[in-house]
Amino acid sequence: MAEAEHYDDAIALLREGIYWVPADKNVFSLYQSCAELLGREGKTEEAIKLLREGIAKVPAEFGRHKLIEGALYLSAAARRQNWLEDLLIGQIGTALSAAQKALGRSLLQQLTGDWEGAATEASSGISTLLTYLPLYVQEAFCRLCARQPDRAQTALDRLPHALEHRKGAPYTWLACFIALRRNDVDAVRQLYASSSTVRRNWPPCRPRRISFAFGIVPWLFRRRIRLTTTQRSLLP
């Protein structure tokens, strides 16, 4: 149902589920799915309002952090600095962990185009929660956007556990692009084969469908980037 061009029926069912499913029965996942579909339909304000509702209702131990992350990413993807600031310093801000606040500050810096500052915010926040994947990934993304692919790879290498690359994962897309910029032939071949999100012409989708995790892309997606002959030869 959700693969149709319009998602009205799916959204209605998810809203009904949100109403009936208790907070301790993974209702956060219904909030996530419903907000994603609203975002795909271009109903960004409605999506962020739904996520904020979920943050207020879902206890911390039942997935609230996932809703906070979604709200941060969506606000950044919509380029709404005021939404991000409200999430960080408003009433909801008290629900954010130190690591999530660092993520929010990094996204704010990205909105201003300060990629070095955004990378620093993410890197500094890692010390508050060494296992928090989004900060490692955002630091790597910002280093890549600052045209520092080697430092981007270093950021991913700092992860306490190696990434398990799988089909469609945003960080698999990121790792592949980093390897491409570094001319790492073996890594490019392996990552390209493992991800359906990578294509020879980038991006493969309209901007509103780009992963929330990388909602602000200054030079990668401003226009469709065709790979150079050398880069194309690296692909299977």
Side-chain angles (χ1 to χ4, degrees):
M1 180 186 301
E3 293 185 9
E5 185 176 356
H6 298 290
Y7 308 101
D8 292 346
D9 290 343
I11 289 171
L13 284 174
L14 287 166
R15 285 190 180 279
E16 184 176 356
I18 287 170
Y19 180 82
W20 290 106
V21 176
D24 62 348
K25 302 300 182 183
N26 291 330
V27 72
F28 81 89
S29 64
L30 301 184
Y31 279 104
Q32 279 184 306
S33 297
C34 191
E36 179 183 349
L37 296 185
L38 288 168
R40 290 186 182 186
E41 289 220 315
K43 300 176 181 178
T44 312
E45 292 197 27
E46 194 173 341
I48 198 72
K49 181 179 179 181
L50 182 71
L51 289 171
R52 291 173 66 98
E53 173 191 312
I55 293 168
K57 292 184 177 180
V58 176
E61 64 270 29
F62 296 123
R64 184 171 63 192
H65 67 287
K66 291 293 186 182
L67 302 182
I68 291 172
E69 285 176 14
L72 290 172
Y73 287 137
L74 179 58
S75 298
R79 297 182 178 274
R80 296 298 293 268
Q81 183 173 340
N82 59 321
W83 290 359
L84 270 174
E85 291 174 342
D86 187 52
L87 286 167
L88 288 171
I89 64 177
Q91 184 176 0
I92 288 178
T94 59
L96 273 65
S97 67
Q100 287 174 327
K101 288 180 180 179
L103 174 61
R105 291 193 298 269
S106 177
L107 294 172
L108 273 174
Q109 294 282 9
Q110 291 178 38
L111 284 177
T112 68
D114 182 2
W115 298 104
E116 288 279 1
T120 299
E121 286 286 1
S123 180
S124 299
I126 289 172
S127 62
T128 66
L129 185 59
L130 295 176
T131 58
Y132 193 51
L133 175 64
L135 289 178
Y136 291 93
V137 172
Q138 288 300 320
E139 181 188 357
F141 174 66
C142 293
R143 300 294 185 198
L144 179 62
C145 290
R147 301 179 184 267
Q148 300 170 355
D150 289 335
R151 296 186 70 182
Q153 184 59 50
T154 299
L156 291 184
D157 290 341
R158 290 171 58 200
L159 275 162
H161 302 289
L163 288 173
E164 182 181 349
H165 294 294
R166 63 181 185 271
K167 186 176 181 179
Y171 49 74
T172 302
W173 169 90
L174 175 63
C176 186
F177 213 143
I178 291 172
L180 187 64
R181 288 293 180 179
R182 298 177 70 231
N183 291 321
D184 186 340
V185 179
D186 292 338
V188 170
R189 289 182 183 277
Q190 181 179 359
L191 291 163
Y192 182 87
S194 68
S195 176
S196 65
T197 63
V198 183
R199 297 290 186 272
R200 292 173 187 263
N201 294 322
W202 298 22
C205 53
R206 291 187 293 275
R208 74 178 185 183
R209 291 185 180 175
I210 294 173
S211 168
F212 287 163
F214 311 115
I216 310 163
V217 193
W219 55 277
L220 306 180
F221 289 122
R222 192 161 292 167
R223 60 182 63 84
R224 291 181 67 87
I225 297 175
R226 296 190 179 277
L227 305 185
T228 66
T229 301
T230 301
Q231 291 169 332
R232 193 182 295 275
S233 70
L234 301 180
L235 302 179

